[in-house]
Amino acid sequence: MWGGPVRKGIATAVLSLVAVTACTTPAGAPGGSAHGATRPRSDITSVPATSTSSPTSSVAATDVPAESSTSSVVVLDPGHNGGNSGAPGQINRPVPAGGFTKPCNTVGAETSAGYPEHAFTFNVALRVQDLLRAGGVTVVMTRPDDFGVGPCVNERAETANQAGAALAVSIHADGASPDVRGFHVIEPALAPDGGNAAILDASAKAASDLLTAFSTATGEPLATYPGALVRSGLTRRDDLAGLNLARVPAVFIECVNMRNPEDGATAADPDWRQRAAEGIAGGVLTYLASR
Ligand code: ZN
C-alpha cells in the first residue's frame, strides 16, 4: 500500500518486498495496479549499454534539430519495449532510480486478448509525435522502434534531461485488476534523494493539463482505483525512476487498465488510440502555451 513518501532508509526494504511483482500483477491495493501506487519499483524498461538497439543518446542527438535551443522540445517515452520479454538478464539488472535502485525495465501489461502494452504505448506515442510535430514542437522519442530491449528507466530520464525538454511524457497502460477501469496521470513526488525538487510544481501543472485534455478527447473515466490518488485520475509518486531522475518537468499517463475487458477493447481500437493521442498532444500543447 502506498502510505506516503518512501524514505531512503526503507526504500531498499520496500523494493526487496515488491520487486517480484510484475507489471501485470495486481498489487495489494484495492483493484491492484501495475503502475499504481503499490506496484513494484520496476516500472519502465531500458536499453543496456550492450544492446543493439539505438542508445538513447543517439536517438536524442538524431532527433533534435539544431534550432531546438529556441523551440520547445518534448520527449515522448513509450513504456517498455517489444524485446524485453526475451532479455530478462538485461532488463532485470538494477539501475539508479533516485535514491534506490530498480530493474532496468519490465515487460509491461497486456490485454486479455494478448495486445501488449509495449505495442500500445509505441503506437500512441507515434500518433502523439505526429500531432506535436504538426504543431511545431520538436519531439524526441526514448526508443526508435518496438522490437528492441529497454532502454533502462534511468536512461529514459536522461534522454529528457539531455534534450533540455520542456516536458517529458511517459506513456503507459496499466495492468490492474480486471474489475476496475479508467485512466490516470502520475505526477512526481519528491524523490527519496531529493533530486527532482525543482520540477515538481511544473510537472503538477502539466499533469493537470494532461488529465483534462485526455478526459475530454477520449471520454475515458478517471480511475479511482490507484492507491496514491490526489484526486480522481491523478496520483503522485516517488517510486518511478522516470519521475525521480527527471530534471525537466515530467509526467506519466496510464491510458487504460489493459486487463479490464472494456478498457482492453478500447486500447485495441486504432480510432480510440488516435483520440488518446489527440488528448495527450492537446494536454502537452496547453502546458507549453502556459509556460
Ligand atoms: Zn507500463
Side-chain angles (χ1 to χ4, degrees):
M1 187 62 201
W2 192 252
V6 176
R7 300 271 62 89
K8 266 185 193 175
I10 62 172
T12 301
V14 172
L15 172 60
S16 67
L17 290 172
V18 300
V20 296
T21 308
C23 191
T24 54
T25 302
S33 172
H35 294 264
T38 54
R39 82 182 297 275
R41 299 180 183 279
S42 57
D43 187 45
I44 311 190
T45 317
S46 89
V47 177
T50 55
S51 169
T52 54
S53 299
S54 299
T56 51
S57 57
S58 68
V59 174
T62 300
D63 287 359
V64 180
E67 66 273 19
S68 63
S69 61
T70 56
S71 62
S72 293
V73 178
V74 169
V75 167
L76 298 178
D77 174 32
H80 316 280
N81 206 336
N84 286 2
S85 60
Q90 293 181 6
I91 69 167
N92 288 335
R93 66 187 178 90
V95 298
F100 55 95
T101 64
K102 68 191 306 182
C104 161
N105 213 191
T106 56
V107 172
E110 66 178 17
T111 69
S112 59
Y115 182 49
E117 180 185 356
H118 64 79
F120 170 83
T121 65
F122 192 70
N123 184 269
V124 171
L126 290 177
R127 294 169 185 270
V128 177
Q129 175 178 244
D130 287 347
L131 292 166
L132 290 178
R133 284 180 170 168
V137 176
T138 299
V139 177
V140 176
M141 298 272 277
T142 58
R143 57 181 171 101
D145 53 55
D146 193 40
F147 47 82
V149 177
C152 292
V153 285
N154 59 319
E155 294 167 329
R156 292 174 186 242
E158 188 60 19
T159 294
N161 296 342
Q162 290 296 319
L167 180 63
V169 181
S170 293
I171 300 170
H172 285 260
D174 215 346
S177 176
D179 61 349
V180 294
R181 66 176 294 233
F183 83 97
H184 67 280
V185 178
I186 307 169
E187 64 182 37
L190 184 65
D193 69 359
N196 65 351
I199 58 106
L200 298 183
D201 288 348
S203 299
K205 170 67 167 65
S208 180
D209 289 340
L210 191 59
L211 188 157
T212 299
F214 193 86
S215 176
T216 301
T218 65
E220 180 73 7
L222 305 177
T224 57
Y225 66 83
L229 280 181
V230 176
R231 56 188 167 95
S232 293
L234 179 66
T235 67
R236 183 181 299 140
R237 295 173 54 179
D238 71 355
D239 64 323
L240 296 173
L243 300 180
N244 289 350
L245 299 175
R247 300 297 179 262
V248 297
V251 297
F252 276 49
I253 183 166
E254 300 280 1
C255 296
V256 295
N257 172 22
M258 298 197 91
R259 296 181 64 213
N260 173 274
E262 189 172 355
D263 268 10
T266 289
D269 176 2
D271 290 336
W272 187 89
R273 291 200 298 273
Q274 184 64 23
R275 293 196 293 278
E278 290 168 357
I280 293 170
V284 169
L285 293 172
T286 297
Y287 172 75
L288 294 178
S290 71
R291 295 166 70 231

